Amino acid sequence: MPGELDDIIALVDCSKCGTELRVTYKQIRIHAAAACSCGTLIRLEDDTRIAAVHALIDETNPMSGDND
Ligand SMILES: [Zn+2]
């Protein structure tokens, strides 16, 4: 059930104000960005934290398909 992965939360630090944002995998997957309350748009693609999220997903769902 792919939808379950959307509940995974990644923590992303705002590069401008340092606020720690909680970003769902769904938001990462759809928008590849997170908007901080200070107005900074943090791009998430190619972020190392995203790799960490994917690692977590692999860990959580070892049997998930290799279809991406
Ligand atoms: Zn900020």
Side-chain angles (χ1 to χ4, degrees):
M1 299 182 66
E4 292 183 8
L5 303 181
D6 290 348
D7 291 333
I8 293 175
I9 302 290
L11 296 177
V12 181
D13 295 325
C14 175
S15 57
K16 185 175 181 182
C17 73
T19 297
E20 194 172 67
L21 304 175
R22 292 163 56 88
V23 185
T24 62
Y25 179 68
K26 182 178 183 179
Q27 185 174 357
I28 294 167
R29 187 166 54 78
I30 296 175
H31 300 291
C36 181
S37 57
C38 76
T40 300
L41 185 67
I42 303 158
R43 298 186 64 80
L44 298 172
E45 54 192 349
D46 299 327
D47 191 293
T48 54
R49 289 177 184 81
I50 306 310
V53 170
H54 283 297
L56 178 61
I57 290 168
D58 288 343
E59 215 171 83
T60 308
N61 296 279
M63 298 303 290
S64 66
D66 301 320
N67 51 4
D68 62 27

